[in-house]
Amino acid sequence: MDGHTEPDETLMLRYGQGDVGAFETLYARHRGPLFRYLRRQCGRRDVAEELFQDVWMGIINARERYDVRARFTTYLYRIAHNRVIDHVRRRTPEPAVDQQDPNVILDRLSANPGDDPERRAEATQQTERLVPLLEALPDEQREAFLIREEAGMGIAEIAEATGVGPETAKSRLRYAVAKLRQGLGTEP
Amino acid sequence: MSDPDTQDRGLEDYLAGGSALSGAYRRLAREEPEERLDQTVLSAARHHVEVQREVAHSPFSRKWVVPASLAAVLVLCVSVVLLMTPPAPELDDEPTLLAPAAGGGPEAAHGRDHAERRRQGTTAGSAPLPRQAERTAKSLDTTGIAPPAATPERRRSLAPSPAPKKEAGEKATGHAAPVANAPVSESEESQELTPEAWLAQIAELRREGLYHAAEAQLAAFRDRYPDFPAEAFLRGLVPAASQARPGQGAEPLP
């Protein structure tokens, strides 16, 4: 089977049997979303890099014990969630989250010159507002939103990854979405 | 903030996908980990697999740990059992000493003591050894025999007065008569031969061609009378013609 269509769980099992190529495919699929989740959840890039490496080392060390009980993505973000929790518990008060360079924030928009200037301006405003809105969310609500956006998980999987019940996860996501929409002025 | 119903509808709309909120989030910078970080993680993944392979191919790999441990435990148990098992009574080359025909004679008593001590094993330690040697010497002394090792040759010479007819029968049949079948009575034991009479018997044996028995008797004689000039006495008793053994030319007698 082609590595690009093979399920994550199969790739992880193959890596547990010594197939490094399977791990490379798995890593390529999840490196970006996981890094962004950690980056936005922790605020600092250096911390995000440290946690990112820590999460993957956990995956590597557990390769022989891996058992398909849930989706690999759930397993991966459960580990990431635990690392973030550990980090939050031991961190000391830090300076305010480093502000992203507006050019970096908007680079994706800049790379799309065909947009309508009015819509582009509106989107730019929304995106500029989104970052502080995200940072203002409680950690649990922001986490639910980020996992939904980056990993595409549903309510049940978010609940499993974050170790809470489905109702709690749904509530967190609902509040997060409502606050962000209200801040962006895009309420339905 | 909007009421719960609005929030629920907003959540359903958001989960359905394609919302403006999701669009705004996707327009954020798509940050990626640096290539350095990628290399670190991928190198670690490769390294762990290589280590796993090395361990799997090493002679002390995990799959051999259990069998090797079981084998070691088994060897240890067998060794301990063998060490703790008392040795079985040996049926050695001394049946004559243990034979019931020996009755209540000193040899039989000595044999019973010997066997008893063997049954008791080595737990008795080395203390009984001097007593055993003393008892052996005493019993041999009562038979009138010097106490050298009890080889078959020596056993045949236990009695100071030889039995030429038995020797002749032994030579004819080729089998040694067991000593226990010829018990030595107290009167025979106490019967002392003079050195001259003993040497005369030895000379008689030589004359009859029983050199083997004669040498055994001579050895016993030398043990008992080391200072007696046996050779000179025998030369006077044995004719010169019969001093050479058959097939040995004209070699002098010892």
Side-chain angles (χ1 to χ4, degrees), chain B residues 139-182:
Chain B
S139 76
L140 288 174
D141 194 44
T142 56
T143 59
I145 301 297
T151 61
E153 294 281 334
R154 288 285 185 191
R155 280 191 211 121
R156 255 181 245 127
S157 65
L158 284 178
S161 53
K165 289 180 182 176
K166 280 194 175 182
E167 288 289 347
E170 171 192 337
K171 190 174 182 180
T173 58
H175 295 289
V179 174
N181 291 341

Side-chain angles (χ1 to χ4, degrees), chain A residues 18 27 31 104 149-150 174 181, chain B residues 10 14 22 25 29 38 53:
Chain A
Y27 179 77
R31 57 186 283 278
V104 174
E149 286 296 330
E150 294 293 350
R174 185 175 59 211
R181 274 182 167 161
Chain B
Y14 168 73
S22 292
Y25 181 81
D38 291 341
R53 284 184 184 146

Side-chain angles (χ1 to χ4, degrees), chain B residues 8-239:
Chain B
D8 283 342
R9 269 188 280 118
L11 180 61
E12 288 171 11
D13 178 55
Y14 168 73
L15 291 173
S19 67
L21 178 58
S22 292
Y25 181 81
R26 287 192 202 103
R27 281 193 296 272
L28 285 174
R30 312 301 288 175
E31 286 186 271
E32 301 280 336
E34 292 180 1
E35 192 175 344
R36 166 187 59 81
L37 203 54
D38 291 341
Q39 292 304 319
T40 303
V41 172
L42 293 175
S43 298
R46 276 190 290 271
H47 175 71
H48 277 71
V49 168
E50 287 166 5
V51 169
Q52 180 186 5
R53 284 184 184 146
E54 286 175 8
V55 169
H57 289 96
S58 72
F60 299 105
S61 64
R62 215 178 286 172
K63 66 179 180 180
W64 290 107
V65 167
V66 172
S69 302
L70 288 175
V73 168
L74 189 64
V75 168
L76 188 64
C77 289
V78 169
S79 302
V80 169
V81 167
L82 288 177
L83 284 173
M84 294 184 69
T85 304
E90 288 182 24
L91 298 175
D92 55 8
D93 57 349
E94 299 177 323
T96 55
L97 297 177
L98 300 174
E107 283 293 331
H110 167 67
R112 281 195 295 273
D113 285 352
H114 186 65
E116 183 63 29
R117 276 192 293 279
R118 280 193 176 177
R119 272 193 291 277
Q120 289 171 356
T122 57
T123 54
S126 58
L129 285 177
R131 285 183 58 196
Q132 179 187 356
E134 182 185 343
R135 219 179 289 176
T136 305
K138 189 177 176 182
S139 76
L140 288 174
D141 194 44
T142 56
T143 59
I145 301 297
T151 61
E153 294 281 334
R154 288 285 185 191
R155 280 191 211 121
R156 255 181 245 127
S157 65
L158 284 178
S161 53
K165 289 180 182 176
K166 280 194 175 182
E167 288 289 347
E170 171 192 337
K171 190 174 182 180
T173 58
H175 295 289
V179 174
N181 291 341
V184 180
S185 66
E186 286 292 327
S187 60
E188 285 174 341
E189 285 178 6
S190 61
Q191 188 179 10
E192 287 286 337
L193 289 174
T194 62
E196 293 79 6
W198 195 349
L199 287 173
Q201 286 186 355
I202 293 171
E204 181 64 23
L205 288 173
R206 284 183 175 175
R207 272 193 293 274
E208 291 179 4
L210 301 173
Y211 298 106
H212 189 70
E215 286 179 12
Q217 288 291 325
L218 184 59
F221 180 88
R222 283 180 178 146
D223 287 340
R224 191 163 182 83
Y225 304 108
D227 299 329
F228 196 91
E231 289 81 2
F233 194 84
L234 283 172
R235 282 194 198 99
L237 290 175
V238 181

